[in-house]
Amino acid sequence: MSFDVPADAYTRFMGRFSEPLAVQFADLAQVRAGQRALDVGCGPGALTAELVRRLGNEAVSAIDPSAPFVQAVRSRLPGVDVWSGPAEHLPFADDTFDVTLAQLVVHFMADPVSGLSEMARVTRPGGVVAASVWDSAGVGGPLDTFWRAVRDLDRDALDESQLSGAREGDLAELFAAAGLKDLEHTSLTVTVAFPSFTDWWEPFTFGVGPAGAYVARLDQVQRDLLRSRCEQLLPPAPFEIAASAWCVLAHP
Ligand SMILES: C[S@@+](CC[C@H](N)C(=O)[O-])C[C@H]1O[C@@H](n2cnc3c(N)ncnc32)[C@H](O)[C@@H]1O
């Protein structure tokens, strides 16, 4: 899978967007001291670290199917209860958590409705279940320029716009299908600065996620063409990229 990569590769590729998003996402879910929280699809721990900062290690659990990411969170945040596995089969009893969050994960679940149902099951009545997914179907995702360049060169390429939850309203529909009611939906935006084009491009060559997997399939000539097209489309360095994520929150 495209998340079976070293934690450092993920952090350089997507962590630079997901770390600032984690602060806003935890604010949105009103995570506060005294609560017990679960981070579903924790990756190398961008949101887990923010939960630990607010709640302490002992009050946080995290789970992800990627072995290197699980190992990274265990080393980085000792004392956190870290599990290996998918959202669709959470190894926790009913009503265990006050807050259950999935940041940038629902679109990668094999069965998003089942994953969200599981998140609701392990959250106590009146608690919070929330998820966020990049706006990859509009013009607000962090990888928009990359996929635009790909489509310019390869009209048949499959980008991330078809993933579950990417279109406006999609995520709320998935929550409703999972039986969650009284939904609040909004979007959050983060802005990331890139000192040079190389800083932006290099992490695409690390094989992370669908974009990294796409680059890994190219030969050197195709890769150089894509790199040049991206450079043409981006503003001159230094530049900033703003990225928006759809967010939905429910109280089971
Ligand atoms: C884009 S990363 C997000 C990681 C982290 N939440 C963050 O904000 O940086 C997507 C994560 O979802 C995980 N994932 C993929 N399928 C999953 C599933 N069925 N259940 C839970 N997590 C899954 C991947 O292993 C990866 O760590």
Side-chain angles (χ1 to χ4, degrees), residues 210-249:
Y214 181 85
V215 172
R217 288 195 296 272
L218 301 178
D219 64 28
Q220 194 56 51
V221 172
Q222 293 168 321
R223 210 183 261 215
D224 289 345
L225 277 172
L226 178 57
R227 184 185 191 283
S228 300
R229 184 64 189 136
C230 288
E231 195 165 14
Q232 281 168 358
L233 293 175
L234 284 164
F239 55 86
E240 292 183 339
I241 303 280
S244 297
W246 307 119
C247 299
V248 174
L249 188 146

PDB file of all heavy atoms in Angstrom, residues 210-249:
ATOM      1  N   PRO A 210      -1.272   8.200  -3.099  1.00  0.00           N
ATOM      2  CA  PRO A 210      -1.521   8.025  -4.535  1.00  0.00           C
ATOM      3  C   PRO A 210      -0.580   8.872  -5.411  1.00  0.00           C
ATOM      4  O   PRO A 210      -0.151   8.411  -6.472  1.00  0.00           O
ATOM      5  CB  PRO A 210      -2.978   8.495  -4.693  1.00  0.00           C
ATOM      6  CG  PRO A 210      -3.588   8.276  -3.341  1.00  0.00           C
ATOM      7  CD  PRO A 210      -2.503   8.558  -2.343  1.00  0.00           C
ATOM      8  N   ALA A 211      -0.229  10.090  -4.990  1.00  0.00           N
ATOM      9  CA  ALA A 211       0.654  10.933  -5.812  1.00  0.00           C
ATOM     10  C   ALA A 211       2.059  10.334  -5.877  1.00  0.00           C
ATOM     11  O   ALA A 211       2.662  10.238  -6.960  1.00  0.00           O
ATOM     12  CB  ALA A 211       0.709  12.352  -5.239  1.00  0.00           C
ATOM     13  N   GLY A 212       2.561   9.882  -4.734  1.00  0.00           N
ATOM     14  CA  GLY A 212       3.893   9.264  -4.714  1.00  0.00           C
ATOM     15  C   GLY A 212       3.911   7.972  -5.515  1.00  0.00           C
ATOM     16  O   GLY A 212       4.881   7.666  -6.214  1.00  0.00           O
ATOM     17  N   ALA A 213       2.801   7.206  -5.426  1.00  0.00           N
ATOM     18  CA  ALA A 213       2.718   5.952  -6.187  1.00  0.00           C
ATOM     19  C   ALA A 213       2.706   6.248  -7.680  1.00  0.00           C
ATOM     20  O   ALA A 213       3.310   5.524  -8.478  1.00  0.00           O
ATOM     21  CB  ALA A 213       1.457   5.192  -5.777  1.00  0.00           C
ATOM     22  N   TYR A 214       2.045   7.349  -8.076  1.00  0.00           N
ATOM     23  CA  TYR A 214       2.003   7.710  -9.500  1.00  0.00           C
ATOM     24  C   TYR A 214       3.424   8.027 -10.001  1.00  0.00           C
ATOM     25  O   TYR A 214       3.853   7.513 -11.045  1.00  0.00           O
ATOM     26  CB  TYR A 214       1.074   8.911  -9.722  1.00  0.00           C
ATOM     27  CG  TYR A 214       0.975   9.295 -11.177  1.00  0.00           C
ATOM     28  CD1 TYR A 214       0.065   8.661 -12.019  1.00  0.00           C
ATOM     29  CD2 TYR A 214       1.840  10.239 -11.728  1.00  0.00           C
ATOM     30  CE1 TYR A 214       0.011   8.956 -13.372  1.00  0.00           C
ATOM     31  CE2 TYR A 214       1.796  10.544 -13.081  1.00  0.00           C
ATOM     32  CZ  TYR A 214       0.870   9.901 -13.896  1.00  0.00           C
ATOM     33  OH  TYR A 214       0.837  10.198 -15.239  1.00  0.00           O
ATOM     34  N   VAL A 215       4.154   8.848  -9.249  1.00  0.00           N
ATOM     35  CA  VAL A 215       5.520   9.231  -9.667  1.00  0.00           C
ATOM     36  C   VAL A 215       6.415   7.988  -9.735  1.00  0.00           C
ATOM     37  O   VAL A 215       7.236   7.849 -10.653  1.00  0.00           O
ATOM     38  CB  VAL A 215       6.116  10.287  -8.698  1.00  0.00           C
ATOM     39  CG1 VAL A 215       7.580  10.549  -9.010  1.00  0.00           C
ATOM     40  CG2 VAL A 215       5.320  11.589  -8.779  1.00  0.00           C
ATOM     41  N   ALA A 216       6.240   7.082  -8.774  1.00  0.00           N
ATOM     42  CA  ALA A 216       7.086   5.883  -8.734  1.00  0.00           C
ATOM     43  C   ALA A 216       6.911   5.012  -9.980  1.00  0.00           C
ATOM     44  O   ALA A 216       7.823   4.271 -10.351  1.00  0.00           O
ATOM     45  CB  ALA A 216       6.760   5.071  -7.475  1.00  0.00           C
ATOM     46  N   ARG A 217       5.749   5.118 -10.644  1.00  0.00           N
ATOM     47  CA  ARG A 217       5.502   4.293 -11.848  1.00  0.00           C
ATOM     48  C   ARG A 217       6.116   4.889 -13.115  1.00  0.00           C
ATOM     49  O   ARG A 217       6.166   4.247 -14.149  1.00  0.00           O
ATOM     50  CB  ARG A 217       3.991   4.124 -12.067  1.00  0.00           C
ATOM     51  CG  ARG A 217       3.304   3.203 -11.076  1.00  0.00           C
ATOM     52  CD  ARG A 217       1.911   2.805 -11.563  1.00  0.00           C
ATOM     53  NE  ARG A 217       1.011   3.945 -11.654  1.00  0.00           N
ATOM     54  CZ  ARG A 217       0.248   4.397 -10.657  1.00  0.00           C
ATOM     55  NH1 ARG A 217       0.289   3.785  -9.479  1.00  0.00           N
ATOM     56  NH2 ARG A 217      -0.544   5.429 -10.808  1.00  0.00           N
ATOM     57  N   LEU A 218       6.565   6.164 -13.039  1.00  0.00           N
ATOM     58  CA  LEU A 218       7.080   6.835 -14.238  1.00  0.00           C
ATOM     59  C   LEU A 218       8.539   6.480 -14.499  1.00  0.00           C
ATOM     60  O   LEU A 218       9.309   6.261 -13.550  1.00  0.00           O
ATOM     61  CB  LEU A 218       6.977   8.362 -14.060  1.00  0.00           C
ATOM     62  CG  LEU A 218       5.583   8.940 -13.812  1.00  0.00           C
ATOM     63  CD1 LEU A 218       5.679  10.455 -13.622  1.00  0.00           C
ATOM     64  CD2 LEU A 218       4.632   8.592 -14.950  1.00  0.00           C
ATOM     65  N   ASP A 219       8.941   6.484 -15.788  1.00  0.00           N
ATOM     66  CA  ASP A 219      10.378   6.366 -16.060  1.00  0.00           C
ATOM     67  C   ASP A 219      11.012   7.753 -15.917  1.00  0.00           C
ATOM     68  O   ASP A 219      10.310   8.751 -15.716  1.00  0.00           O
ATOM     69  CB  ASP A 219      10.627   5.710 -17.428  1.00  0.00           C
ATOM     70  CG  ASP A 219      10.100   6.546 -18.595  1.00  0.00           C
ATOM     71  OD1 ASP A 219      10.044   7.790 -18.460  1.00  0.00           O
ATOM     72  OD2 ASP A 219       9.726   5.961 -19.633  1.00  0.00           O
ATOM     73  N   GLN A 220      12.333   7.828 -16.049  1.00  0.00           N
ATOM     74  CA  GLN A 220      13.030   9.091 -15.750  1.00  0.00           C
ATOM     75  C   GLN A 220      12.598  10.226 -16.685  1.00  0.00           C
ATOM     76  O   GLN A 220      12.430  11.370 -16.256  1.00  0.00           O
ATOM     77  CB  GLN A 220      14.552   8.885 -15.825  1.00  0.00           C
ATOM     78  CG  GLN A 220      15.352  10.027 -15.212  1.00  0.00           C
ATOM     79  CD  GLN A 220      14.972  10.314 -13.756  1.00  0.00           C
ATOM     80  OE1 GLN A 220      14.936   9.400 -12.929  1.00  0.00           O
ATOM     81  NE2 GLN A 220      14.649  11.562 -13.437  1.00  0.00           N
ATOM     82  N   VAL A 221      12.360   9.904 -17.968  1.00  0.00           N
ATOM     83  CA  VAL A 221      11.957  10.946 -18.924  1.00  0.00           C
ATOM     84  C   VAL A 221      10.584  11.496 -18.542  1.00  0.00           C
ATOM     85  O   VAL A 221      10.371  12.723 -18.495  1.00  0.00           O
ATOM     86  CB  VAL A 221      11.929  10.372 -20.365  1.00  0.00           C
ATOM     87  CG1 VAL A 221      11.341  11.376 -21.341  1.00  0.00           C
ATOM     88  CG2 VAL A 221      13.325   9.950 -20.792  1.00  0.00           C
ATOM     89  N   GLN A 222       9.644  10.596 -18.250  1.00  0.00           N
ATOM     90  CA  GLN A 222       8.287  11.029 -17.862  1.00  0.00           C
ATOM     91  C   GLN A 222       8.323  11.830 -16.560  1.00  0.00           C
ATOM     92  O   GLN A 222       7.636  12.838 -16.398  1.00  0.00           O
ATOM     93  CB  GLN A 222       7.385   9.803 -17.667  1.00  0.00           C
ATOM     94  CG  GLN A 222       7.106   9.036 -18.938  1.00  0.00           C
ATOM     95  CD  GLN A 222       6.471   7.679 -18.637  1.00  0.00           C
ATOM     96  OE1 GLN A 222       6.838   6.991 -17.677  1.00  0.00           O
ATOM     97  NE2 GLN A 222       5.508   7.291 -19.459  1.00  0.00           N
ATOM     98  N   ARG A 223       9.188  11.408 -15.664  1.00  0.00           N
ATOM     99  CA  ARG A 223       9.295  12.090 -14.371  1.00  0.00           C
ATOM    100  C   ARG A 223       9.834  13.519 -14.551  1.00  0.00           C
ATOM    101  O   ARG A 223       9.335  14.474 -13.949  1.00  0.00           O
ATOM    102  CB  ARG A 223      10.267  11.286 -13.506  1.00  0.00           C
ATOM    103  CG  ARG A 223       9.976  11.368 -12.046  1.00  0.00           C
ATOM    104  CD  ARG A 223      11.026  10.600 -11.292  1.00  0.00           C
ATOM    105  NE  ARG A 223      10.570   9.281 -10.923  1.00  0.00           N
ATOM    106  CZ  ARG A 223      10.903   8.672  -9.794  1.00  0.00           C
ATOM    107  NH1 ARG A 223      11.703   9.268  -8.938  1.00  0.00           N
ATOM    108  NH2 ARG A 223      10.463   7.488  -9.522  1.00  0.00           N
ATOM    109  N   ASP A 224      10.842  13.651 -15.439  1.00  0.00           N
ATOM    110  CA  ASP A 224      11.414  14.988 -15.687  1.00  0.00           C
ATOM    111  C   ASP A 224      10.375  15.899 -16.340  1.00  0.00           C
ATOM    112  O   ASP A 224      10.306  17.094 -16.048  1.00  0.00           O
ATOM    113  CB  ASP A 224      12.656  14.880 -16.582  1.00  0.00           C
ATOM    114  CG  ASP A 224      13.830  14.248 -15.846  1.00  0.00           C
ATOM    115  OD1 ASP A 224      13.767  14.171 -14.594  1.00  0.00           O
ATOM    116  OD2 ASP A 224      14.799  13.827 -16.515  1.00  0.00           O
ATOM    117  N   LEU A 225       9.557  15.320 -17.246  1.00  0.00           N
ATOM    118  CA  LEU A 225       8.507  16.121 -17.902  1.00  0.00           C
ATOM    119  C   LEU A 225       7.489  16.617 -16.880  1.00  0.00           C
ATOM    120  O   LEU A 225       7.068  17.773 -16.900  1.00  0.00           O
ATOM    121  CB  LEU A 225       7.773  15.267 -18.947  1.00  0.00           C
ATOM    122  CG  LEU A 225       8.420  15.157 -20.310  1.00  0.00           C
ATOM    123  CD1 LEU A 225       7.660  14.125 -21.151  1.00  0.00           C
ATOM    124  CD2 LEU A 225       8.408  16.511 -21.006  1.00  0.00           C
ATOM    125  N   LEU A 226       7.103  15.709 -15.978  1.00  0.00           N
ATOM    126  CA  LEU A 226       6.113  16.080 -14.951  1.00  0.00           C
ATOM    127  C   LEU A 226       6.692  17.145 -14.021  1.00  0.00           C
ATOM    128  O   LEU A 226       6.020  18.130 -13.680  1.00  0.00           O
ATOM    129  CB  LEU A 226       5.702  14.829 -14.165  1.00  0.00           C
ATOM    130  CG  LEU A 226       4.708  15.053 -13.031  1.00  0.00           C
ATOM    131  CD1 LEU A 226       3.419  15.705 -13.536  1.00  0.00           C
ATOM    132  CD2 LEU A 226       4.391  13.733 -12.324  1.00  0.00           C
ATOM    133  N   ARG A 227       7.943  16.964 -13.640  1.00  0.00           N
ATOM    134  CA  ARG A 227       8.598  17.942 -12.753  1.00  0.00           C
ATOM    135  C   ARG A 227       8.597  19.325 -13.416  1.00  0.00           C
ATOM    136  O   ARG A 227       8.253  20.336 -12.786  1.00  0.00           O
ATOM    137  CB  ARG A 227      10.041  17.461 -12.499  1.00  0.00           C
ATOM    138  CG  ARG A 227      10.825  18.312 -11.537  1.00  0.00           C
ATOM    139  CD  ARG A 227      12.271  17.801 -11.462  1.00  0.00           C
ATOM    140  NE  ARG A 227      13.000  18.413 -10.372  1.00  0.00           N
ATOM    141  CZ  ARG A 227      13.488  19.638 -10.394  1.00  0.00           C
ATOM    142  NH1 ARG A 227      13.335  20.410 -11.454  1.00  0.00           N
ATOM    143  NH2 ARG A 227      14.139  20.115  -9.347  1.00  0.00           N
ATOM    144  N   SER A 228       8.941  19.378 -14.707  1.00  0.00           N
ATOM    145  CA  SER A 228       8.988  20.664 -15.424  1.00  0.00           C
ATOM    146  C   SER A 228       7.604  21.295 -15.512  1.00  0.00           C
ATOM    147  O   SER A 228       7.454  22.508 -15.353  1.00  0.00           O
ATOM    148  CB  SER A 228       9.505  20.491 -16.854  1.00  0.00           C
ATOM    149  OG  SER A 228      10.762  19.973 -16.822  1.00  0.00           O
ATOM    150  N   ARG A 229       6.581  20.444 -15.769  1.00  0.00           N
ATOM    151  CA  ARG A 229       5.216  20.982 -15.883  1.00  0.00           C
ATOM    152  C   ARG A 229       4.758  21.563 -14.537  1.00  0.00           C
ATOM    153  O   ARG A 229       4.137  22.628 -14.495  1.00  0.00           O
ATOM    154  CB  ARG A 229       4.264  19.864 -16.344  1.00  0.00           C
ATOM    155  CG  ARG A 229       2.851  20.352 -16.594  1.00  0.00           C
ATOM    156  CD  ARG A 229       2.778  21.348 -17.745  1.00  0.00           C
ATOM    157  NE  ARG A 229       1.494  21.972 -17.871  1.00  0.00           N
ATOM    158  CZ  ARG A 229       1.285  23.280 -18.085  1.00  0.00           C
ATOM    159  NH1 ARG A 229       2.303  24.114 -18.226  1.00  0.00           N
ATOM    160  NH2 ARG A 229       0.078  23.755 -18.188  1.00  0.00           N
ATOM    161  N   CYS A 230       5.086  20.866 -13.460  1.00  0.00           N
ATOM    162  CA  CYS A 230       4.739  21.384 -12.122  1.00  0.00           C
ATOM    163  C   CYS A 230       5.425  22.733 -11.899  1.00  0.00           C
ATOM    164  O   CYS A 230       4.804  23.684 -11.409  1.00  0.00           O
ATOM    165  CB  CYS A 230       5.188  20.407 -11.033  1.00  0.00           C
ATOM    166  SG  CYS A 230       4.213  18.901 -10.949  1.00  0.00           S
ATOM    167  N   GLU A 231       6.695  22.826 -12.272  1.00  0.00           N
ATOM    168  CA  GLU A 231       7.453  24.069 -12.041  1.00  0.00           C
ATOM    169  C   GLU A 231       6.846  25.226 -12.831  1.00  0.00           C
ATOM    170  O   GLU A 231       6.777  26.353 -12.353  1.00  0.00           O
ATOM    171  CB  GLU A 231       8.933  23.871 -12.400  1.00  0.00           C
ATOM    172  CG  GLU A 231       9.818  24.967 -11.845  1.00  0.00           C
ATOM    173  CD  GLU A 231      11.301  24.615 -11.867  1.00  0.00           C
ATOM    174  OE1 GLU A 231      11.682  23.636 -12.553  1.00  0.00           O
ATOM    175  OE2 GLU A 231      12.073  25.331 -11.203  1.00  0.00           O
ATOM    176  N   GLN A 232       6.363  24.899 -14.052  1.00  0.00           N
ATOM    177  CA  GLN A 232       5.704  25.948 -14.865  1.00  0.00           C
ATOM    178  C   GLN A 232       4.422  26.449 -14.203  1.00  0.00           C
ATOM    179  O   GLN A 232       4.087  27.626 -14.273  1.00  0.00           O
ATOM    180  CB  GLN A 232       5.316  25.385 -16.239  1.00  0.00           C
ATOM    181  CG  GLN A 232       6.441  25.280 -17.230  1.00  0.00           C
ATOM    182  CD  GLN A 232       6.015  24.444 -18.451  1.00  0.00           C
ATOM    183  OE1 GLN A 232       4.898  23.922 -18.529  1.00  0.00           O
ATOM    184  NE2 GLN A 232       6.927  24.317 -19.394  1.00  0.00           N
ATOM    185  N   LEU A 233       3.671  25.523 -13.583  1.00  0.00           N
ATOM    186  CA  LEU A 233       2.361  25.879 -13.027  1.00  0.00           C
ATOM    187  C   LEU A 233       2.454  26.608 -11.688  1.00  0.00           C
ATOM    188  O   LEU A 233       1.556  27.366 -11.329  1.00  0.00           O
ATOM    189  CB  LEU A 233       1.496  24.621 -12.858  1.00  0.00           C
ATOM    190  CG  LEU A 233       1.058  23.930 -14.148  1.00  0.00           C
ATOM    191  CD1 LEU A 233       0.320  22.622 -13.823  1.00  0.00           C
ATOM    192  CD2 LEU A 233       0.158  24.833 -14.975  1.00  0.00           C
ATOM    193  N   LEU A 234       3.521  26.340 -10.940  1.00  0.00           N
ATOM    194  CA  LEU A 234       3.649  26.956  -9.613  1.00  0.00           C
ATOM    195  C   LEU A 234       4.186  28.384  -9.738  1.00  0.00           C
ATOM    196  O   LEU A 234       4.887  28.715 -10.699  1.00  0.00           O
ATOM    197  CB  LEU A 234       4.612  26.137  -8.747  1.00  0.00           C
ATOM    198  CG  LEU A 234       4.035  24.836  -8.186  1.00  0.00           C
ATOM    199  CD1 LEU A 234       5.157  23.937  -7.682  1.00  0.00           C
ATOM    200  CD2 LEU A 234       3.034  25.117  -7.074  1.00  0.00           C
ATOM    201  N   PRO A 235       3.912  29.229  -8.728  1.00  0.00           N
ATOM    202  CA  PRO A 235       4.511  30.565  -8.733  1.00  0.00           C
ATOM    203  C   PRO A 235       6.030  30.452  -8.494  1.00  0.00           C
ATOM    204  O   PRO A 235       6.489  29.422  -8.001  1.00  0.00           O
ATOM    205  CB  PRO A 235       3.848  31.274  -7.542  1.00  0.00           C
ATOM    206  CG  PRO A 235       2.852  30.336  -6.986  1.00  0.00           C
ATOM    207  CD  PRO A 235       3.057  28.979  -7.580  1.00  0.00           C
ATOM    208  N   PRO A 236       6.798  31.509  -8.831  1.00  0.00           N
ATOM    209  CA  PRO A 236       8.236  31.454  -8.540  1.00  0.00           C
ATOM    210  C   PRO A 236       8.483  31.336  -7.028  1.00  0.00           C
ATOM    211  O   PRO A 236       7.722  31.889  -6.242  1.00  0.00           O
ATOM    212  CB  PRO A 236       8.765  32.807  -9.056  1.00  0.00           C
ATOM    213  CG  PRO A 236       7.637  33.464  -9.753  1.00  0.00           C
ATOM    214  CD  PRO A 236       6.367  32.767  -9.424  1.00  0.00           C
ATOM    215  N   ALA A 237       9.521  30.593  -6.652  1.00  0.00           N
ATOM    216  CA  ALA A 237       9.841  30.423  -5.224  1.00  0.00           C
ATOM    217  C   ALA A 237      10.441  31.712  -4.669  1.00  0.00           C
ATOM    218  O   ALA A 237      11.090  32.452  -5.420  1.00  0.00           O
ATOM    219  CB  ALA A 237      10.817  29.272  -5.056  1.00  0.00           C
ATOM    220  N   PRO A 238      10.261  31.977  -3.364  1.00  0.00           N
ATOM    221  CA  PRO A 238       9.457  31.201  -2.427  1.00  0.00           C
ATOM    222  C   PRO A 238       7.968  31.420  -2.669  1.00  0.00           C
ATOM    223  O   PRO A 238       7.563  32.482  -3.114  1.00  0.00           O
ATOM    224  CB  PRO A 238       9.874  31.764  -1.059  1.00  0.00           C
ATOM    225  CG  PRO A 238      10.260  33.185  -1.340  1.00  0.00           C
ATOM    226  CD  PRO A 238      10.858  33.186  -2.723  1.00  0.00           C
ATOM    227  N   PHE A 239       7.153  30.382  -2.364  1.00  0.00           N
ATOM    228  CA  PHE A 239       5.708  30.513  -2.563  1.00  0.00           C
ATOM    229  C   PHE A 239       4.976  29.786  -1.433  1.00  0.00           C
ATOM    230  O   PHE A 239       5.598  29.042  -0.654  1.00  0.00           O
ATOM    231  CB  PHE A 239       5.282  29.945  -3.926  1.00  0.00           C
ATOM    232  CG  PHE A 239       5.697  28.524  -4.149  1.00  0.00           C
ATOM    233  CD1 PHE A 239       4.913  27.463  -3.706  1.00  0.00           C
ATOM    234  CD2 PHE A 239       6.890  28.225  -4.818  1.00  0.00           C
ATOM    235  CE1 PHE A 239       5.303  26.155  -3.919  1.00  0.00           C
ATOM    236  CE2 PHE A 239       7.283  26.916  -5.030  1.00  0.00           C
ATOM    237  CZ  PHE A 239       6.483  25.879  -4.580  1.00  0.00           C
ATOM    238  N   GLU A 240       3.675  30.039  -1.352  1.00  0.00           N
ATOM    239  CA  GLU A 240       2.859  29.382  -0.337  1.00  0.00           C
ATOM    240  C   GLU A 240       1.750  28.583  -1.023  1.00  0.00           C
ATOM    241  O   GLU A 240       1.271  28.984  -2.087  1.00  0.00           O
ATOM    242  CB  GLU A 240       2.193  30.424   0.579  1.00  0.00           C
ATOM    243  CG  GLU A 240       3.190  31.162   1.457  1.00  0.00           C
ATOM    244  CD  GLU A 240       2.506  32.121   2.411  1.00  0.00           C
ATOM    245  OE1 GLU A 240       1.341  32.502   2.139  1.00  0.00           O
ATOM    246  OE2 GLU A 240       3.115  32.465   3.427  1.00  0.00           O
ATOM    247  N   ILE A 241       1.362  27.465  -0.409  1.00  0.00           N
ATOM    248  CA  ILE A 241       0.218  26.679  -0.889  1.00  0.00           C
ATOM    249  C   ILE A 241      -0.828  26.657   0.227  1.00  0.00           C
ATOM    250  O   ILE A 241      -0.518  26.284   1.361  1.00  0.00           O
ATOM    251  CB  ILE A 241       0.629  25.220  -1.201  1.00  0.00           C
ATOM    252  CG1 ILE A 241       1.749  25.152  -2.227  1.00  0.00           C
ATOM    253  CG2 ILE A 241      -0.582  24.391  -1.617  1.00  0.00           C
ATOM    254  CD1 ILE A 241       1.356  25.315  -3.649  1.00  0.00           C
ATOM    255  N   ALA A 242      -2.044  27.057  -0.128  1.00  0.00           N
ATOM    256  CA  ALA A 242      -3.158  26.958   0.824  1.00  0.00           C
ATOM    257  C   ALA A 242      -3.911  25.665   0.523  1.00  0.00           C
ATOM    258  O   ALA A 242      -4.125  25.321  -0.648  1.00  0.00           O
ATOM    259  CB  ALA A 242      -4.094  28.151   0.678  1.00  0.00           C
ATOM    260  N   ALA A 243      -4.278  24.936   1.563  1.00  0.00           N
ATOM    261  CA  ALA A 243      -4.981  23.659   1.378  1.00  0.00           C
ATOM    262  C   ALA A 243      -6.191  23.611   2.304  1.00  0.00           C
ATOM    263  O   ALA A 243      -6.085  23.937   3.489  1.00  0.00           O
ATOM    264  CB  ALA A 243      -4.040  22.500   1.697  1.00  0.00           C
ATOM    265  N   SER A 244      -7.337  23.200   1.736  1.00  0.00           N
ATOM    266  CA  SER A 244      -8.576  23.154   2.527  1.00  0.00           C
ATOM    267  C   SER A 244      -9.087  21.723   2.662  1.00  0.00           C
ATOM    268  O   SER A 244      -8.981  20.927   1.722  1.00  0.00           O
ATOM    269  CB  SER A 244      -9.665  23.985   1.840  1.00  0.00           C
ATOM    270  OG  SER A 244      -9.253  25.328   1.787  1.00  0.00           O
ATOM    271  N   ALA A 245      -9.627  21.459   3.828  1.00  0.00           N
ATOM    272  CA  ALA A 245     -10.185  20.128   4.110  1.00  0.00           C
ATOM    273  C   ALA A 245     -11.635  20.267   4.534  1.00  0.00           C
ATOM    274  O   ALA A 245     -11.974  21.143   5.335  1.00  0.00           O
ATOM    275  CB  ALA A 245      -9.391  19.450   5.227  1.00  0.00           C
ATOM    276  N   TRP A 246     -12.495  19.384   3.962  1.00  0.00           N
ATOM    277  CA  TRP A 246     -13.877  19.293   4.447  1.00  0.00           C
ATOM    278  C   TRP A 246     -13.851  18.637   5.815  1.00  0.00           C
ATOM    279  O   TRP A 246     -13.095  17.671   6.019  1.00  0.00           O
ATOM    280  CB  TRP A 246     -14.738  18.433   3.498  1.00  0.00           C
ATOM    281  CG  TRP A 246     -14.691  18.840   2.065  1.00  0.00           C
ATOM    282  CD1 TRP A 246     -14.261  18.078   1.013  1.00  0.00           C
ATOM    283  CD2 TRP A 246     -15.107  20.090   1.513  1.00  0.00           C
ATOM    284  NE1 TRP A 246     -14.379  18.790  -0.166  1.00  0.00           N
ATOM    285  CE2 TRP A 246     -14.886  20.032   0.123  1.00  0.00           C
ATOM    286  CE3 TRP A 246     -15.626  21.267   2.060  1.00  0.00           C
ATOM    287  CZ2 TRP A 246     -15.176  21.091  -0.726  1.00  0.00           C
ATOM    288  CZ3 TRP A 246     -15.906  22.322   1.207  1.00  0.00           C
ATOM    289  CH2 TRP A 246     -15.694  22.230  -0.163  1.00  0.00           C
ATOM    290  N   CYS A 247     -14.676  19.119   6.728  1.00  0.00           N
ATOM    291  CA  CYS A 247     -14.734  18.526   8.070  1.00  0.00           C
ATOM    292  C   CYS A 247     -16.176  18.299   8.463  1.00  0.00           C
ATOM    293  O   CYS A 247     -17.023  19.187   8.231  1.00  0.00           O
ATOM    294  CB  CYS A 247     -14.138  19.462   9.125  1.00  0.00           C
ATOM    295  SG  CYS A 247     -12.426  19.837   8.834  1.00  0.00           S
ATOM    296  N   VAL A 248     -16.465  17.138   9.036  1.00  0.00           N
ATOM    297  CA  VAL A 248     -17.810  16.872   9.551  1.00  0.00           C
ATOM    298  C   VAL A 248     -17.679  16.362  10.994  1.00  0.00           C
ATOM    299  O   VAL A 248     -16.752  15.599  11.319  1.00  0.00           O
ATOM    300  CB  VAL A 248     -18.546  15.831   8.672  1.00  0.00           C
ATOM    301  CG1 VAL A 248     -19.883  15.449   9.292  1.00  0.00           C
ATOM    302  CG2 VAL A 248     -18.758  16.377   7.264  1.00  0.00           C
ATOM    303  N   LEU A 249     -18.613  16.836  11.809  1.00  0.00           N
ATOM    304  CA  LEU A 249     -18.579  16.506  13.247  1.00  0.00           C
ATOM    305  C   LEU A 249     -19.981  16.052  13.670  1.00  0.00           C
ATOM    306  O   LEU A 249     -20.971  16.596  13.196  1.00  0.00           O
ATOM    307  CB  LEU A 249     -18.174  17.796  13.943  1.00  0.00           C
ATOM    308  CG  LEU A 249     -17.850  17.836  15.417  1.00  0.00           C
ATOM    309  CD1 LEU A 249     -16.756  18.865  15.649  1.00  0.00           C
ATOM    310  CD2 LEU A 249     -19.076  18.225  16.187  1.00  0.00           C
TER     311      LEU A 249
END
